Amino acid sequence: MPRIAYVNGRYTRHAEAGVHIEDRGYQFADGVYEVCLVLNGVFWDEEGHLARLDRSLNELAIEKPMTTRAMRLVMETLVRKNRLKDALVYMQITRGVAPRNHPFPDGAPNPSIVITAKRFDFSKSEELAKKGAKVITAPDIRWGRVDIKSISLLPNVLAKEAAKRAGAQEAWLVRDGFITEGGSSNAWIVTRQGEIVTHPLGNDILGGITRQTVLKCAEELQMKVVERPFTKEEALKAAEAFFTSATTLVMPVVSIDGEQVGDGAPGSVARRLRDAYIAKGQSAAVAAPEAANENRLL
Ligand code: PDD
């Protein structure tokens, strides 16, 4: 069965899907994206991801090519067409095709939209969560508006490649001595006093949708959370560390730059938060059976 993608109004074979060579996403990284997790046919935090997509588009004055309702339908159709149960749905909207010239093109906006769905290996994610992830640190050389989920990701690409070469799964980015976030996730520690710490929202981190839900989980579990920057030294002295994203859920960290964090094993707070996050998606599906049925594709 061929893999199917959605490109500018058409469902097409993934292998043959393409956009024009003068798409501004291709030439200028003039576009935004979202990644949404699907577990057991249920979209996790879909509303949050679609709301952040609207925000990113607004910040960059890129026209939205279709309604949120229509996008949801395409996302769900793609998961079904690709016969997926656990999946990652990728959405990308760019300012569209125009002769290469830096300012926005004249005339009516003509944004490009691409949506794809690929299999997500939940058991592999669980395997890593049981073992714990390794992170390295790298300088945060990104621009001043990383709160916008832009497709301009070269610094993230370089940091994550450095992590891969070091045998690590994530790079924690350091600016002015503080860890801002990961190359594709938000960074957290748990102090020896049991306080959960993560960088506050602002222009220097992406406001993770998983971060937002994990904050709610922590509150429900009556865990104390403080949103403030922390350093690598503090992380190395912490009881636990972890990172969060749609693709990793809650992922415990066992080392930073080769130095052990806590007792070198995944921590209990990270495990509880991961379980709570997974349960929250499942209970949302149970608590709202109609919405869940709408979302449940298999
Ligand atoms: N990345 N910070 C950065 C820089 C990210 O790229 C991401 C997500 C996050 C976490 O956001 P969320 O919880 O909404 O997934 C934080 C996606 C998964 C990616 O680029 O593949």
Side-chain angles (χ1 to χ4, degrees):
M1 192 200 67
R3 219 181 133 192
I4 304 294
Y6 176 87
V7 184
N8 292 327
R10 289 215 177 103
Y11 292 97
T12 152
R13 278 173 184 252
H14 191 277
E16 290 149 22
V19 291
H20 195 275
I21 54 165
E22 286 201 298
D23 190 281
R24 290 177 62 92
Y26 183 55
Q27 293 192 325
F28 294 116
D30 188 0
V32 301
Y33 77 106
E34 274 302 327
V35 181
C36 190
L37 173 69
V38 180
L39 284 183
N40 212 10
V42 175
F43 280 82
W44 244 237
D45 284 331
E46 187 184 21
E47 237 176 81
H49 286 285
L50 289 171
R52 187 174 61 190
L53 182 66
D54 281 355
R55 179 181 181 274
S56 298
L57 289 168
N58 280 333
E59 292 296 320
L60 298 178
I62 296 175
E63 197 81 8
K64 195 173 170 181
M66 61 206 288
T67 63
T68 297
R69 207 186 146 91
M71 275 194 76
R72 287 176 87 128
L73 187 67
V74 173
M75 290 159 71
E76 288 158 17
T77 305
L78 265 188
V79 171
R80 198 178 55 236
K81 276 185 186 291
N82 288 289
R83 296 178 200 260
L84 296 167
K85 212 156 100 50
D86 297 338
L88 288 169
V89 173
Y90 177 81
M91 299 152 259
Q92 176 175 306
I93 298 173
T94 72
R95 206 179 303 277
V97 177
R100 188 178 183 279
N101 193 15
H102 290 70
F104 298 175
D106 292 328
N110 187 24
S112 301
I113 179 162
V114 170
I115 308 181
T116 59
K118 72 171 178 190
R119 201 171 81 82
F120 174 72
D121 193 337
F122 181 67
S123 62
K124 223 172 174 179
S125 174
E126 271 299 299
E127 227 171 82
L128 182 61
K130 287 197 178 99
K131 216 169 67 179
K134 297 176 183 167
V135 309
I136 61 155
T137 55
D140 191 345
I141 57 170
R142 300 173 301 162
W143 74 317
R145 287 303 308 277
V146 298
D147 55 308
I148 300 170
K149 201 161 171 60
S150 137
I151 57 172
S152 170
L153 290 171
L154 203 43
N156 310 57
V157 166
L158 296 176
K160 294 210 54 134
E161 173 63 16
K164 186 179 163 194
R165 287 183 188 200
Q169 288 77 33
E170 181 57 298
W172 277 7
L173 307 175
V174 181
R175 173 168 294 177
D176 300 332
F178 292 100
I179 289 162
T180 49
E181 61 178 334
S184 61
S185 61
N186 289 112
W188 308 63
I189 57 169
V190 184
T191 66
R192 299 221 171 246
Q193 290 71 42
E195 217 169 62
I196 300 173
V197 183
T198 194
H199 197 288
L201 294 179
N203 292 345
D204 42 6
I205 69 159
L206 180 75
I209 303 303
T210 318
R211 175 188 183 279
Q212 195 176 296
T213 304
V214 167
L215 283 174
K216 273 188 219 139
C217 292
E219 194 187 321
E220 284 163 19
L221 291 168
Q222 297 181 336
M223 294 171 169
K224 185 164 186 228
V225 183
V226 185
E227 292 178 61
R228 63 162 174 86
F230 61 88
T231 61
K232 173 184 158 182
E233 290 63 41
E234 209 182 343
L236 284 172
K237 282 191 214 129
E240 294 182 34
F242 60 94
F243 54 85
T244 58
S245 75
T247 51
T248 58
L249 298 87
V250 178
M251 189 56 67
V253 170
V254 291
S255 72
I256 303 173
D257 290 332
E259 291 185 64
Q260 180 176 310
V261 175
D263 59 8
S268 61
V269 172
R271 185 68 243 180
R272 282 178 73 199
L273 286 172
R274 185 177 170 93
D275 290 343
Y277 180 70
I278 293 166
K280 206 170 187 64
Q282 278 162 354
S283 68
V286 174
E290 267 174 46
N293 283 342
E294 231 176 66
N295 288 345
R296 204 180 286 280
L297 299 163
L298 295 168

